[in-house]
Amino acid sequence: LLSQFDPDNTGYISTEKFRSLLQRHGSELDPHKLEVLLALADSNSEGRICYQDFVNLMSNKRSNSFRQAILQGNRRLCSKALLEETGLSLSQRLIRHVAYETLPREIDRKWYYDSYTCCPPPWFMITITIVAFFLYNGVVLDRFVLQVTHPSYLKNALLYHPQLRAQAWRYLTYIFMHAGIEHLGLNVVLQLLVGVPLEMVHGAARISFVYVAGVVAGSLAVSVADMTAPVVGSSGGVYALVSAHLANIVM
């Protein structure tokens, strides 16, 4: 097949030949993948398609070929929108919901829906929310929330206090402590509703960096603003996640 369409073995075929291949074999492809391949053909201004770009798209690599394809985001999509599809399982509906929450264009959403495999799962946000929050408070202290009025509150080794900033671990570990069940509950809900979809799309490495940066920024800000105030809770990380999600809202 390569020798037929690329007799000189250049690694490229013309967009006309590429379109004829899509018309001939398009029924054998997933409709979402066919959308992206058509967009790749539409976006190419040089009149030829690179074989490696085709391979990258078929193997679900978010590569330069994908970035070229989504430039045609305003192109009229020939098939119905992903939101209109019926008969999806619960997991497929969840992935579709995440796509619409975090991606701005229909072709982006279809590519994500087609390529997402939940491997790896959004382990960082789930771990930091469920395990980290409850392990120390629930197991070590034998209580899920240590109230501010408790005599051990200001004596524990986790909360951050500007006067104890030489103990560097406190810049991070204060997220394991909360001032009450309302404080804990709000942070848990926001991290799961905002953090998990972001991690499903952008990956654990990027989201963990955003989250930890927000946590450290919170403790540093208190050191500047109030040298007498102890700091507890994961609100700094939550604010960072909400700010990251703000970009999706604007787009």
Side-chain angles (χ1 to χ4, degrees):
L1 188 61
L2 281 176
S3 60
Q4 176 183 353
F5 289 95
D6 183 20
D8 298 329
N9 199 26
T10 63
Y12 292 87
I13 64 172
S14 67
T15 53
E16 291 78 8
K17 293 180 180 179
F18 186 69
R19 284 183 173 281
S20 68
L21 282 172
L22 291 180
Q23 292 175 356
R24 189 181 313 169
H25 303 284
S27 59
E28 305 171 13
L29 298 174
D30 183 280
H32 305 145
K33 198 178 295 293
L34 181 60
E35 288 281 354
V36 181
L37 290 172
L38 286 171
L40 176 63
D42 289 344
S43 65
N44 197 287
S45 60
E46 298 179 355
R48 59 181 188 171
I49 303 294
C50 177
Y51 175 71
Q52 187 58 50
D53 285 347
F54 171 76
V55 171
N56 288 341
L57 280 176
M58 294 302 293
S59 60
N60 288 329
K61 289 183 179 179
R62 197 178 181 94
S63 60
N64 186 54
S65 56
F66 174 76
R67 289 191 292 273
Q68 292 175 7
I70 65 174
L71 291 176
Q72 297 297 318
N74 295 325
R75 179 179 63 87
R76 182 184 298 275
L77 298 175
C78 61
S79 66
K80 62 183 178 181
L82 181 60
L83 194 60
E84 299 173 1
E85 295 195 6
T86 59
L88 302 181
S89 65
L90 181 61
S91 62
Q92 289 174 324
R93 290 199 298 270
L94 173 62
I95 296 172
R96 182 178 65 179
H97 172 75
V98 169
Y100 273 88
E101 282 292 314
T102 57
L103 295 171
R105 301 177 186 175
E106 185 68 19
I107 198 168
D108 299 13
R109 297 161 181 162
K110 289 187 175 184
W111 184 90
Y112 174 77
Y113 177 83
D114 180 55
S115 61
Y116 183 72
T117 61
C118 199
C119 183
W123 60 268
F124 174 77
M125 291 311 309
I126 293 176
T127 300
I128 203 70
T129 301
I130 297 178
V131 179
F133 281 176
F134 294 100
L135 184 61
Y136 184 85
N137 292 330
V139 177
V140 178
L141 298 177
D142 194 26
R143 66 189 71 231
F144 286 113
V145 178
L146 190 62
Q147 298 292 344
V148 178
T149 55
H150 194 279
S152 300
Y153 188 81
L154 293 177
K155 296 179 181 179
N156 73 79
L158 295 182
L159 67 77
Y160 177 78
H161 197 290
Q163 296 178 4
L164 299 174
R165 60 184 180 277
Q167 299 174 2
W169 68 86
R170 293 177 182 267
Y171 285 93
L172 293 173
T173 58
Y174 75 91
I175 67 171
F176 300 152
M177 303 297 300
H178 285 78
I181 193 66
E182 298 86 0
H183 188 203
L184 175 63
L186 179 62
N187 282 338
V188 166
V189 169
L190 285 175
Q191 286 191 177
L192 292 177
L193 290 181
V194 179
V196 170
L198 285 173
E199 185 177 350
M200 289 175 66
V201 173
H202 300 291
R206 292 181 176 89
I207 297 306
S208 61
F209 177 80
V210 170
Y211 183 84
V212 172
V215 170
V216 175
S219 52
L220 290 175
V222 171
S223 293
V224 175
D226 190 347
M227 290 291 292
T228 64
V231 186
V232 293
S234 60
S235 298
V238 170
Y239 293 152
L241 294 176
V242 172
S243 298
H245 186 59
L246 180 62
N248 297 317
I249 296 175
V250 172
M251 294 175 69

